[in-house]
Amino acid sequence: MDDLAGFLRIRRSRVDPAAVGIPADSRRRVAGLRREEVAHLSGVSVDYYVRLEQGRATQPSEQVLDALARVLGLDETERGHLDRLARQRRRVKAPGKGVPQAGGRGRVRPELLRVLDLVADVPALIMNHRLDVLAGNRLAGLLFGRPMPGLNTARHIFLEEAERGLYADWENCTLDVVGHLRLAAGKYPEDPRLASLVGELAMGSERFRRLWARADVRARTHGRKAYRHPLVGLLDLHQENFALPDESGMELLVLSAAPGSPAEDGLRLLARLGADGGRADPPVDAHVREQPDDAHPPRERLVADGFPVPGPLRG
């Protein structure tokens, strides 16, 4: 899904030469920096950097990684991702070792389920690194209009929802999802289910393919999340992500509304509609993301572009 060589090539192509002090050249035929320019600015030999991009170099030192991160303009999260990719070469694991396997409601500890039940006034859910929802409280189910276990928010955003659907800030949500999955791919490179998910999204969404090719990395910690619910309207919420220390790759997400805000009133109304037995799920003909004619490329093209293809679609 991701490796050091590919990450370096993509991020090198995105650096503006002028931003690192290289004069504009009308004869330049490559996007971003040349390999020799990255090597010079990083203080390493051209031969060594070429071997890095070809996947033939030995594990780079912290000093080299720091220099590359500076030249490529990586932030703290991206620098950590670069370090994980560089360390992958030394990993020797038995198949399946080190990959979080939580996959359904039965895998979530009962104590965590009780915590969800105690959070009654705001939506709260537990997700894994693949963005599978493992459990959610009642209000989360009402917000998404469907049972929580079994929902994958990456599929939901890219393959089921449109810009006019549940996610009021759909485009920014897609950036967050791709950045998170890139980060997860660096942390769990041996996870076949994650690779299958990436392949499925690449086959079904042209926007996912374009964003994945940028190699952006994002850590989800907190921020604004706006939802356009079909019954209660716009819900402008704040999301907090709490990593669960004893559940590798799992997070508790809580969506809260500012006191006295329209969103707080909307959540109260949504809770009452659910309690009264009213429909809290979107109508059957809710907006489904339309794909252009070329949105589903042939399997061979995806394989050539480096995307993993989901198992059921192989051969």
Side-chain angles (χ1 to χ4, degrees), residues 3-235:
D3 59 19
L4 179 63
F7 186 71
L8 290 175
R9 287 193 299 269
I10 293 173
R11 296 311 295 255
R12 169 171 63 85
S13 70
R14 294 177 52 188
V15 178
D16 179 6
V20 293
I22 297 176
D25 184 354
S26 60
R27 296 173 297 176
R28 181 177 290 269
R29 297 182 179 275
V30 298
L33 297 177
R34 300 184 178 98
R35 286 174 172 175
E36 57 268 25
E37 291 169 340
V38 175
H40 173 72
L41 293 169
S42 304
V44 300
S45 71
V46 175
D47 177 69
Y48 180 73
Y49 182 76
V50 169
R51 285 189 286 120
L52 278 176
E53 282 205 3
Q54 293 177 343
R56 298 186 295 111
T58 57
Q59 180 180 326
S61 67
E62 288 295 322
Q63 292 81 1
V64 169
L65 293 176
D66 285 339
L68 290 173
R70 173 179 51 80
V71 172
L72 299 177
L74 305 185
D75 61 23
E76 182 178 352
T77 299
E78 294 164 333
R79 171 63 178 85
H81 182 68
L82 178 69
D83 185 72
R84 279 187 290 273
L85 295 179
R87 302 292 172 258
Q88 282 178 15
R89 303 182 184 199
R90 300 188 68 176
R91 294 178 185 173
V92 179
K93 293 183 179 179
K97 292 294 183 67
V99 179
Q101 294 297 326
R105 186 179 178 94
R107 298 293 187 91
V108 180
R109 290 186 290 108
E111 295 83 358
L112 291 176
L113 297 179
R114 288 203 296 270
V115 170
L116 288 180
D117 291 336
L118 291 173
V119 183
D121 297 331
V122 297
L125 43 109
I126 293 173
M127 303 176 71
N128 64 15
H129 65 286
R130 304 181 203 100
L131 301 183
D132 296 318
V133 178
L134 308 180
N137 66 0
R138 174 176 167 274
L139 201 49
L142 294 173
L143 174 63
F144 285 90
R146 59 190 293 174
M148 285 291 91
L151 170 68
N152 178 279
T153 58
R155 289 192 188 95
H156 195 230
I157 288 173
F158 277 103
L159 305 182
E160 300 173 20
E161 286 295 318
E163 293 88 334
R164 304 174 306 280
L166 178 64
Y167 303 92
D169 192 6
W170 182 83
E171 290 193 357
N172 196 53
C173 285
T174 62
L175 295 175
D176 287 341
V177 165
V178 173
H180 169 82
L181 291 180
R182 270 280 183 185
L183 192 63
K187 291 180 178 179
Y188 310 111
E190 300 90 356
D191 185 353
R193 292 173 61 186
L194 178 58
S196 178
L197 173 64
V198 170
E200 177 186 349
L201 296 173
M203 294 186 71
S205 169
E206 186 271 340
R207 178 169 174 81
F208 180 87
R209 292 194 299 278
R210 285 192 287 108
L211 294 181
W212 186 264
R214 291 175 53 84
D216 286 325
V217 179
R218 289 193 178 192
R220 303 183 318 143
T221 54
H222 59 83
R224 174 182 178 268
K225 289 291 181 181
Y227 298 89
R228 191 185 296 108
H229 196 276
L231 295 182
V232 301
L234 181 65
L235 295 171

